[in-house]
Amino acid sequence: MVKTMADPRADHGDEVAVSGAEFFHRLYAVTYSKTVGLALILVMAVLVLAGTLIAQAPEGALDTKEGKAVFLEASRAKYGGWTSALEFWGLFHVFTSPLFLIVIGLLAVSIAGCTTHRIPVLWRAYRHPKIRATDRFYQGARYRGEVATALTSQETMTLAAAKLRAHHRVRLAGASELYADRFAWGAFGTVVAHASFIIILAAFAISANSGFEETLNLGAGGEPV
C-alpha cells in the first residue's frame, strides 16, 4: 500500500510563510556575518583609496551647475571617458558622497550586530569559565611548576585558595583541583573597542555633513582677503 501526502505548500504557490520573528532573526544574522563585515570593510577601503588617488573637487566646486561643469571639463583632460562614471558614483567627493555614507552606516550596523551577538558568549564565559582540564593540558602548558609540600591535599587546597583570593577569582574544580583567574572581565574590552569604531564611523558621517572648510588668501605681509 502506498500513501501519498499533499505538499502543504501546494495551495500557496510553493510559497513558505516566514514569521516576523524568523525574518528579524535572519536579518539580524546578516548583521553579525563575518563575510558581510569583511565585504563592507573592503568596500570602504576601496572608497578611501579612490578618495586618495582621484583628485577631489575643491570646496563648493560642485554646488552650482556652472562650477560643476567647469570642474568636470577640467577633469576630462585627466580621466577622459571615465569622468562621467566617476561623477555618477560621487568619486570626486568621496568622503561626502551618499555611497560612502551608506557604506559606513552599514559597517556601523555590522559592528553593532557582531558586538551584541558576542556579548552573551562573553558573559557565559565570564560567569561559567572552564575550570577543568586534562592531564595533557598541564603537561603541555607553557608555564607550569611543581611544589613539594608536607601538607595534606586538603590543607594545600585551603592554603592555596586563601592566598589566591587576595587578587584572583577562585573556583574549586574538585577535591584536589582549583581554578583561579585575574581580570576575567578583560574579555569585555572587545565590546569597548567595537564601540569606539562605531564612534569613529559616526565622526566620519558628522564631519561630512556638518564640517566646513574655508580658504583664506594671504598676501606677503598683508591681511586675510
Side-chain angles (χ1 to χ4, degrees):
M1 179 181 292
V2 177
K3 182 178 181 180
T4 61
M5 299 182 64
D7 189 339
R9 299 175 298 178
D11 296 334
H12 301 281
D14 293 336
E15 293 182 0
V16 179
V18 178
S19 67
E22 178 66 17
F23 174 78
F24 176 79
H25 177 74
R26 292 181 182 181
L27 187 62
Y28 177 58
V30 173
T31 64
Y32 63 77
S33 168
K34 293 181 179 180
T35 302
V36 172
L38 289 174
L40 289 171
I41 292 174
L42 179 61
V43 173
M44 183 177 176
V46 171
L47 290 175
V48 172
L49 180 62
T52 303
L53 299 179
I54 298 173
Q56 301 294 284
E59 179 70 18
L62 303 179
D63 293 346
T64 63
K65 290 183 178 180
E66 295 78 8
K68 183 176 181 179
V70 171
F71 174 78
L72 292 179
E73 186 61 30
S75 298
R76 290 186 193 282
K78 184 175 182 179
Y79 301 108
W82 289 98
T83 302
S84 298
L86 295 176
E87 190 275 328
F88 176 80
W89 290 105
L91 297 183
F92 287 126
H93 56 104
V94 171
F95 303 109
T96 57
S97 67
L99 177 60
F100 185 76
L101 296 178
I102 289 173
V103 170
I104 64 175
L106 291 176
L107 183 56
V109 171
S110 178
I111 294 174
C114 179
T115 304
T116 55
H117 178 67
R118 184 165 174 75
I119 286 177
V121 178
L122 295 173
W123 180 250
R124 286 194 297 270
Y126 172 78
R127 292 279 307 207
H128 306 288
K130 183 179 179 180
I131 62 176
R132 291 183 178 276
T134 63
D135 291 339
R136 184 177 179 181
F137 171 81
Y138 293 110
Q139 292 168 1
R142 182 175 181 181
Y143 300 105
R144 62 187 186 276
E146 297 180 5
V147 178
T149 175
L151 300 175
T152 65
S153 177
Q154 185 60 42
E155 291 173 338
T156 302
M157 288 282 290
T158 302
L159 179 61
K163 293 294 184 180
L164 288 170
R165 281 194 177 98
H167 301 287
H168 297 75
R169 180 178 61 165
V170 177
R171 303 272 182 99
L172 294 179
S176 60
E177 296 177 295
L178 62 82
Y179 168 90
D181 63 13
R182 193 176 185 185
F183 306 124
W185 45 262
F188 290 96
T190 183
V191 177
V192 178
H194 284 182
S196 67
F197 280 120
I198 295 177
I199 293 173
I200 292 172
L201 293 176
F204 271 115
I206 293 172
S207 63
N209 291 277
S210 303
F212 62 90
E213 181 178 338
E214 184 177 356
T215 302
L216 298 176
N217 297 318
L218 292 173
E223 295 294 332
V225 179

